[in-house]
Amino acid sequence: MGRKRSGRQQAIDPPSKPAAAKKRKTTGISIREPVEEEQEVQEEPYVMKHGDVPYRGMWVNGSLSKLPLEVQPELFYEKMGDTHSIKSNMMFEKTIMGSDFKALGFFEKFAELGWEAVLSFKGHSNGDIYVKSIMEWMSTLTKDDGNDPPKTITLSGKVNNKIVTLSPATMRSLAKFDSKADSFYQIVKSADYFSHPEKLVASNVMNAELFMVNKGVEMKRDNLKPKVRLLLSYLLTNVTPRTGDRVAVRKWELSVLYALMTGQLHLSFRQLVIMHVWQARNQKNKKLIPHARLLSALLERHGALRPEEYAFRKPHTIFALEDVCKNEKIRYKKTKWWHKIKFGDGVKLKVLQWGKQAPSGGEMDDQDSSDEELLRRKRDAGEIVGEGSRAQVEEPRQSAYSWGVVDDEMQARVESMRPPEYATWESFQQSLYDQSTRLGVERERQQNELLTHQRVVHIGNEMNLNLWAYDENQRRRHNDYCMGVPFVQSPPYVDYSQLPPFQPGMVRPTMPQVHGSMWLPRVYTEPHFQSSYPFRPPPYQYLSQQQSHQEQQSSSAQQQDPPATGGLADIFDMSSFFDTLSSYYGGPKPSYD
């Protein structure tokens, strides 16, 4: 019976004291932990958590900016919640994969509005975000309408008693947002942008540009055109950030989508940032920190950071078609030329890859695509008439690298190898037989290409050996000439064991010829390095046996050059392989510079 009743006494304390976060359930009695233990545990120093806020009831609905200025910071922190809630509700701008963005045509649309910097802006290079400083700045945010609202609206907040202003001028110091002239942009009112987009563009005009005709204009994402859906995926993080339901479409998103898709509504990106930051801060049920990288870069540029704050590192996420489709449960396939996308409602989108040209009518889109093979067979049978039909393709489809390619030559071989009873088989038996035959033809092609490659490599090695033998022969003659040794065309083999010791003053014998390639002729001729080099390894003339013997007999006796014997190197002419060698990989390359 020694249970203390301090818990019941704390249960009726006024709300000005901190409330306990943990409760224990007993039989009819609610007991809370002592206040001293709760004060020792703090989640984050930047969360200004005072338990039960005494003026919490003041913010039931409406804008936070309409409440007294001294209570706004704590109510903003109380709305955002703990550390995990704050970070999970921050919208971090994504970087783009340029090839995918250009393939969809979005890059040109952003450039038409002068929004190129929106695509290239990354904030901090390593992804650091100063979360505590952003929270303190937004909690103390105030709006100044200026002399000509909404054009002159600016937002100002304090971080460590230093005021930082978010304005078109300060954002221009970070990047060249809105690169067009100021007169190019249409400054809109906040109420028209968020609630009445029909005041900016007529509803029927906007709906005709964004929605599919057969699905109506209900504010759902599946009713938008395919490219508009993909563009919306990027806007939800970088231009019109929001969390929550991604199936529905918001009114203000229609205005931005229309501006980008048509280029007829010239919205200012800097004004959109100001409106979205101010709306996210003042709405009670909206837990959102938009443009986190931009705000963090702004505070860092002005040196308004909390003392000894450690940045939260959030790596940059790349907006790539494959990743976007994977995250949004959209079927995606990248073929040889195309991006193929199939949405959940069955709508398909086919986009040509950036930097590639559309294939001709008879050229297959994918090397291993069964549906392309089916289309090819239908063209052959005359079932498909028009663009891409067999009647419009005169040249047969061929491929220099034929592994895995079903071209006309392979199909002809497959059909020629069918047995007479092929027509009586079931369709699955015919398919299995054709597939087996096709695999056999592919293996044969692979073997032939491999043998050809090995032959080319062998010829290239021989060419290098020939050039090496020629260089060594030239070095031998050069050394003999510098030492005063008489020139000998083809010095014979010398048995040095039978020679007397060399004495000063004796005639220096010629150095024997080094062993070269057996493909090289032994008769030396003047090199001719004209235009044929290096496509032919040229410094040789291939003489016939009769010409070789006549030239050897005409040499003087003092050269002591024995007649050359008719061996394999004298009668074998390698020039027949030069044309074959040149047809592969552009001819052999020199073995040295």
Side-chain angles (χ1 to χ4, degrees):
M1 302 299 293
R3 179 178 297 177
K4 298 181 180 180
R5 305 181 64 86
S6 59
R8 178 171 296 182
Q9 294 175 358
Q10 290 187 10
I12 59 175
D13 284 343
S16 59
K17 295 184 179 181
K22 184 178 180 181
K23 297 182 180 181
R24 292 199 303 265
K25 292 184 179 181
T26 58
T27 56
I29 302 178
S30 176
I31 301 179
R32 300 189 181 184
E33 298 294 338
V35 177
E36 293 77 11
E37 296 182 2
E38 177 65 24
Q39 291 178 349
E40 295 178 358
V41 181
Q42 296 182 0
E43 293 181 349
E44 285 288 339
Y46 68 90
V47 178
M48 300 167 60
K49 199 168 185 178
H50 291 271
D52 291 334
V53 180
Y55 31 79
R56 175 184 295 171
M58 299 177 61
W59 193 15
V60 179
N61 51 30
S63 176
L64 178 62
S65 60
K66 296 182 180 179
L67 299 179
L69 189 62
E70 62 274 7
V71 304
Q72 292 182 17
E74 293 193 36
L75 289 175
F76 177 76
Y77 274 98
E78 197 266 341
K79 177 189 81 167
M80 293 302 299
D82 57 5
T83 307
H84 176 73
S85 176
I86 293 173
K87 293 180 180 179
S88 61
N89 288 288
M90 275 190 165
M91 299 304 297
F92 304 100
E93 293 91 331
K94 295 181 179 180
T95 58
I96 65 167
M97 180 173 287
S99 59
D100 290 357
F101 229 69
K102 292 178 181 179
L104 292 169
F106 294 161
F107 190 87
E108 293 78 7
K109 297 182 183 301
F110 275 77
E112 288 180 5
L113 294 182
W115 287 12
E116 302 94 331
V118 179
L119 304 177
S120 59
F121 181 76
K122 296 182 180 180
H124 205 287
S125 58
N126 58 7
D128 286 351
I129 305 294
Y130 296 95
V131 180
K132 301 177 184 179
S133 300
I134 294 176
M135 285 293 297
E136 184 174 344
W137 181 79
M138 290 197 65
S139 67
T140 59
L141 207 59
T142 57
K143 183 175 73 170
D144 182 10
D145 290 336
N147 300 326
D148 186 18
K151 185 176 181 179
T152 57
I153 291 178
T154 60
L155 304 179
S156 300
K158 289 184 178 180
V159 180
N160 197 22
N161 295 324
K162 187 172 184 178
I163 299 178
V164 179
T165 301
L166 178 67
S167 65
T170 55
M171 281 188 279
R172 178 62 68 88
S173 65
L174 299 177
K176 197 174 181 181
F177 299 116
D178 297 339
S179 60
K180 303 286 185 179
D182 293 340
S183 58
F184 174 81
Y185 297 100
Q186 177 181 348
I187 306 302
V188 299
K189 296 181 180 179
S190 179
D192 296 343
Y193 173 73
F194 286 109
S195 303
H196 303 286
E198 65 276 3
K199 294 184 178 180
L200 305 178
V201 182
S203 299
N204 57 342
V205 176
M206 187 181 300
N207 296 337
E209 293 290 342
L210 303 180
F211 290 91
M212 292 187 294
V213 179
N214 58 341
K215 286 199 171 186
V217 295
E218 188 178 357
M219 299 291 286
K220 289 186 178 181
R221 191 172 183 176
D222 290 344
N223 296 340
L224 296 173
K225 294 181 179 179
K227 282 191 177 182
V228 180
R229 302 183 196 181
L230 297 175
L231 180 58
L232 180 60
S233 300
Y234 178 77
L235 298 184
L236 291 179
T237 56
N238 288 47
V239 181
T240 59
R242 66 176 174 89
T243 58
D245 185 14
R246 296 297 183 97
V247 177
V249 182
R250 302 295 186 261
K251 291 183 178 180
W252 59 86
E253 294 166 355
L254 297 179
S255 302
V256 181
L257 289 171
Y258 178 82
L260 287 170
M261 295 302 296
T262 63
Q264 299 178 7
L265 178 61
H266 303 159
L267 296 178
S268 170
F269 174 76
R270 293 175 293 175
Q271 188 197 11
L272 298 185
V273 172
I274 294 175
M275 289 192 295
H276 280 280
V277 170
W278 185 244
Q279 185 204 44
R281 191 254 185 188
N282 289 315
Q283 281 192 357
K284 179 176 176 58
N285 297 324
K286 192 166 189 174
K287 292 185 177 182
L288 174 65
I289 304 294
H291 304 286
R293 298 191 190 277
L294 190 150
L295 297 180
S296 180
L298 178 67
L299 299 179
E300 186 179 11
R301 172 65 63 88
H302 291 80
L305 301 176
R306 289 176 61 90
E308 301 180 358
E309 177 183 2
Y310 291 97
F312 167 64
R313 180 159 296 180
K314 177 67 175 178
H316 293 88
T317 305
I318 300 177
F319 181 88
L321 267 179
E322 184 176 1
D323 297 334
V324 171
C325 294
K326 181 179 179 181
N327 295 334
E328 299 184 2
K329 306 297 187 297
I330 301 174
R331 293 182 59 184
Y332 171 80
K333 180 181 180 182
K334 185 177 182 180
T335 63
K336 189 176 181 181
W337 285 284
W338 304 94
H339 298 286
K340 296 182 179 180
I341 302 172
K342 184 176 181 180
F343 296 90
D345 57 344
V347 177
K348 296 181 180 180
L349 177 64
K350 185 178 179 181
V351 180
L352 184 65
Q353 296 182 28
W354 174 252
K356 295 188 178 181
Q357 296 182 355
S360 59
E363 195 169 7
M364 291 181 60
D365 177 37
D366 207 358
Q367 293 184 356
D368 57 352
S369 177
S370 59
D371 56 345
E372 294 295 336
E373 170 63 13
L374 181 60
L375 292 177
R376 192 197 62 77
R377 292 185 179 182
K378 289 184 177 180
R379 287 196 299 266
D380 291 340
E383 299 178 9
I384 300 179
V385 180
E387 183 179 359
S389 65
R390 177 61 60 188
Q392 297 182 358
V393 182
E394 299 179 358
E395 297 181 357
R397 294 169 296 161
Q398 297 178 353
S399 175
Y401 186 77
S402 59
W403 296 8
V405 180
V406 184
D407 53 15
D408 293 338
E409 181 183 357
M410 174 180 286
Q411 186 63 22
R413 292 193 58 184
V414 170
E415 294 176 356
S416 64
M417 298 175 67
R418 291 172 180 172
E421 60 274 13
Y422 179 85
T424 61
W425 292 349
E426 298 290 340
S427 59
F428 76 92
Q429 294 175 333
Q430 295 178 352
S431 300
L432 290 176
Y433 185 85
D434 289 346
Q435 181 66 16
S436 177
T437 307
R438 192 176 296 112
L439 291 176
V441 175
E442 286 186 1
R443 285 193 293 266
E444 182 180 347
R445 286 183 173 183
Q446 295 175 13
Q447 184 67 19
N448 293 337
E449 292 180 6
L450 181 60
L451 292 177
T452 304
H453 174 72
Q454 292 176 350
R455 183 186 181 204
V456 170
V457 171
H458 177 68
I459 294 177
N461 294 336
E462 280 295 330
M463 303 311 298
N464 289 332
L465 182 59
N466 294 348
L467 293 174
W468 172 83
Y470 172 77
D471 293 342
E472 288 295 327
N473 204 24
Q474 289 294 96
R475 293 190 187 97
R476 176 184 64 83
R477 289 192 172 95
H478 177 75
N479 293 334
D480 290 346
Y481 174 78
C482 294
M483 294 180 182
V485 179
F487 172 76
V488 178
Q489 175 75 13
S490 298
Y493 174 76
V494 178
D495 187 3
Y496 290 94
S497 63
Q498 303 298 328
L499 296 179
F502 183 79
Q503 298 294 334
M506 294 179 59
V507 178
R508 188 181 182 91
T510 58
M511 182 183 297
Q513 183 179 9
V514 296
H515 174 71
S517 171
M518 70 176 182
W519 290 17
L520 274 177
R522 297 197 183 108
V523 179
Y524 173 78
T525 58
E526 293 296 329
H528 47 286
F529 291 88
Q530 280 81 20
S531 60
S532 61
Y533 189 79
F535 301 102
R536 293 175 183 268
Y540 316 110
Q541 286 182 349
Y542 294 93
L543 305 178
S544 63
Q545 290 186 7
Q546 183 178 2
Q547 292 175 343
S548 177
H549 287 296
Q550 291 177 358
E551 184 175 317
Q552 291 174 5
Q553 292 174 1
S554 64
S555 60
S556 62
Q558 62 180 359
Q559 293 180 345
Q560 300 178 1
D561 189 10
T565 59
L568 177 62
D570 297 319
I571 64 176
F572 187 76
D573 186 2
M574 190 181 170
S575 61
S576 61
F577 292 96
F578 290 156
D579 294 333
T580 303
L581 182 64
S582 300
S583 63
Y584 294 97
Y585 313 111
K589 302 299 185 292
S591 58
Y592 54 88
D593 295 331

